[in-house]
Amino acid sequence: MVKHLFELQATWPGGRNDIGEITAGNLQTKISIPPAMDGPGIGTNPDEMLLGAAATCYLISLAAMLERAHITPQSLTLTSDGIVDVTNGVFTYEKIIHRPVIVLMDDAPTREKTMAQKLAEKAEKTCMISKAIAGNVAIELDVTIR
């Protein structure tokens, strides 16, 4: 069995609206509460990081699946939205919506388009981060194949 260790180091000066720092491999950034939640909005925050983890895991999973299926898109892009609900002062990460756009060659056969759609759906179910948040944060897909 192979296990991978990912380590993050964090410093925080103390108060709610202070600014901390994190380091994890190639990721080095300041952290604080976003302005939408009455924070200073310096660096990134847990909400953006969860969205970033889910989006990049999905995108890399999709790219790997397309490659294994011998589908080479002209371009592969992704926009993802994280929806956080605030009810009675309680913040709940409600859902993430991934909107991948897979642009295939103009002469791509219908079966390739169908396969790209299936792989876009499968990538969400196999992504490590999607599996980690399953049952807590809903994930929706809005796939565009051109």
Side-chain angles (χ1 to χ4, degrees):
M1 178 186 309
V2 175
K3 295 188 181 197
H4 299 279
L5 173 66
F6 297 93
E7 181 180 282
L8 181 137
Q9 296 178 351
T11 59
W12 191 263
R16 177 193 185 278
N17 282 334
D18 282 333
I19 299 163
E21 293 184 9
I22 59 169
T23 301
N26 291 323
L27 174 64
Q28 295 180 316
T29 188
K30 294 184 181 305
I31 55 170
S32 70
I33 296 173
M37 297 176 179
D38 298 322
I42 304 296
T44 191
N45 58 70
D47 308 286
E48 290 173 344
M49 290 178 59
L50 179 60
L51 180 60
T56 55
C57 182
Y58 171 75
L59 187 61
I60 291 168
S61 296
L62 175 55
M65 291 178 162
L66 289 168
E67 183 178 282
R68 282 192 297 273
H70 304 288
I71 297 173
T72 305
Q74 286 187 326
S75 72
L76 174 58
T77 59
L78 176 68
T79 301
S80 295
D81 295 320
I83 311 297
V84 176
D85 178 63
V86 184
T87 303
N88 299 323
V90 177
F91 295 85
T92 303
Y93 215 114
E94 190 174 274
K95 71 179 165 181
I96 293 172
I97 305 166
H98 294 310
R99 293 181 180 87
V101 176
I102 304 168
V103 178
L104 301 173
M105 303 299 276
D106 290 337
D107 60 349
T110 302
R111 78 171 163 72
E112 190 170 293
K113 294 174 185 175
T114 302
M115 178 59 75
Q117 176 71 38
K118 286 180 183 176
L119 293 174
E121 294 167 10
K122 186 177 181 183
E124 187 276 314
K125 292 173 182 61
T126 60
C127 162
M128 176 176 64
I129 302 300
S130 295
K131 290 192 284 188
I133 64 176
N136 293 306
V137 178
I139 298 183
E140 295 178 11
L141 288 176
D142 181 11
V143 181
T144 300
I145 309 243
R146 291 191 277 199

